[in-house]
């Protein structure tokens, strides 16, 4: 099955970001991809953390969700909508939510980012909990490919990548593909991104697809990029360093089965 990680350099205008996302989705569909995954915050990287509150949507309706549903239906794609701000409570904070749409345009899965990023090295400071409410439930879905093969897919977002227990739980439930839409900072991405992605693939004998924000944004922030597809043996099959791009690759069921047969580590878990 062919799939695409869509790398973006999202700005501060929601509608411009959606237009950029649509162009990449069309590129993925034209290349024969069945699944296209957008990065975290694909719809907005604002000047302030609170900017996302202005474009929040109740679950089930809104311009961003309508955009994703329409694109899925018109392009015949499975689309994983990176993340978008979904309203909770009084709207003073939001969930950083990843939604999955099938080729009919129906929302078939929802994952709210569980682990919220905090980082302070003296010159860069981030604290997502100031405007985000964390989720609590992992989420998997089953993707029926055109060749009749079904894939079990586990959802995660960015900072989740540092918490292997989430991915181990997915592996225990049969996950074969792990998705990690992200907006890693340039500092942390340069240090840890590739290592963590390859580790999650190797230890769970699963494919990992990680679309990222990658470049210098209008708000002055620089993200690491390096969107990639990693196979169950930890080999990087496709990668894009920076800039908007449709990073294409394929899942090989035979390769997955071979890796798990040759090294049955998932059967050897004791703890």
């Amino acid at each position: 099955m062919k799939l695409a990680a869509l790398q973006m350099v999202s700005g501060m205008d929601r509608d411009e970001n959606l237009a950029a996302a649509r162009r990449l989705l069309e590129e993925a569909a034209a290349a024969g991809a069945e699944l296209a995954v957008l990065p975290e915050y694909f719809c907005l990287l604002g000047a302030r953390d609170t900017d996302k509150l202005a474009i929040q949507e109740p679950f089930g309706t809104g311009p961003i969700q309508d955009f994703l549903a329409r694109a899925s239906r018109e392009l015949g794609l499975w689309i994983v909508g990176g993340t978008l701000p979904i309203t909770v409570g009084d709207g003073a904070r939001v969930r950083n939510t990843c939604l999955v749409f099938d080729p009919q345009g129906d929302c078939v899965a929802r994952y709210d980012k569980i682990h919220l990023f905090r980082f302070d090295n003296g010159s860069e400071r981030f604290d997502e909990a100031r405007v985000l409410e964390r989720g609590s439930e992992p989420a998997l879905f089953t993707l029926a490919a055109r060749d009749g093969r079904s894939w079990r897919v586990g959802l995660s977002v960015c900072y989740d990548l540092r918490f292997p227990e989430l991915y181990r739980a997915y592996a225990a439930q049969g996950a074969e593909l792990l998705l990690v839409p992200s907006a890693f900072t340039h500092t942390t991405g340069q240090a840890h991104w590739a290592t963590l992605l390859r580790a999650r693939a190797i230890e769970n004998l699963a494919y990992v697809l990680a679309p990222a924000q990658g470049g210098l944004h209008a708000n002055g922030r620089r993200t690491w990029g390096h969107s990639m597809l990693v196979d169950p043996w930890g080999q990087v099959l496709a990668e894009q360093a920076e800039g908007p791009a449709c990073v294409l690759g394929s899942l090989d069921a035979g390769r997955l089965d071979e890796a798990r047969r040759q090294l049955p580590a998932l059967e050897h878990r004791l703890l």
Side-chain angles (χ1 to χ4, degrees), residues 43-113:
C43 53
L44 187 78
L45 268 175
R48 298 166 297 277
D49 286 345
T50 52
D51 286 354
K52 60 178 64 70
L53 300 179
I55 66 162
Q56 65 182 289
E57 300 179 2
F59 179 53
T61 185
I64 304 169
Q65 293 170 85
D66 292 347
F67 162 83
L68 293 168
R70 183 171 60 254
S72 296
R73 186 170 56 251
E74 292 176 353
L75 299 174
L77 277 174
W78 289 82
I79 294 177
V80 177
T83 64
L84 65 151
I86 292 293
T87 302
V88 290
D90 61 4
R93 291 197 296 168
V94 292
R95 294 284 182 98
N96 195 21
T97 298
C98 180
L99 299 179
V100 181
F101 291 82
D102 69 14
Q104 289 72 49
D106 295 323
C107 183
V108 297
R110 169 181 174 172
Y111 170 73
D112 296 339
K113 185 177 182 181

Side-chain angles (χ1 to χ4, degrees), residues 10 36 38 41 60 64 76 99 110 113 125 173 177 180:
S10 296
L38 291 157
Y41 298 130
I64 304 169
L99 299 179
R110 169 181 174 172
K113 185 177 182 181
R125 295 179 177 84
Q173 297 178 70
L177 170 63
V180 197

